[in-house]
Amino acid sequence: MLAIIAAVLLPPLGVFLREGLSTAFWVDVLLTILAWVPGVIFALIVVLKPDLLPAGWRRQGPARVR
């Protein structure tokens, strides 16, 4: 729930809470710098549907806590 709220208010924070410092985080930082709306959309996709991301963009390591 916190990640969803963060994804709307500050998109990179929402992605960071879900994925950590992954490629998806840096992509979202770039999208947010270019325009806020694409950053929010991407952050919501990462938080709500992480399986849509390419495998290399996801955080590696132990299972995520949901």
Side-chain angles (χ1 to χ4, degrees):
M1 182 69 172
L2 178 63
I4 295 171
I5 294 169
V8 173
L9 298 177
L10 187 59
L13 178 60
V15 174
F16 177 77
L17 291 174
R18 175 76 175 150
E19 297 290 326
L21 286 176
S22 63
T23 304
F25 170 78
W26 294 110
V27 168
D28 194 59
V29 167
L30 180 63
L31 287 171
T32 304
I33 289 171
L34 293 174
W36 182 74
V37 173
V40 170
I41 292 169
F42 183 75
L44 288 173
I45 289 170
V46 169
V47 171
L48 298 174
K49 298 281 188 177
D51 296 334
L52 293 177
L53 293 176
W57 287 20
R58 289 186 226 133
R59 177 176 58 170
Q60 303 299 317
R64 296 180 192 104
V65 176
R66 293 184 189 229

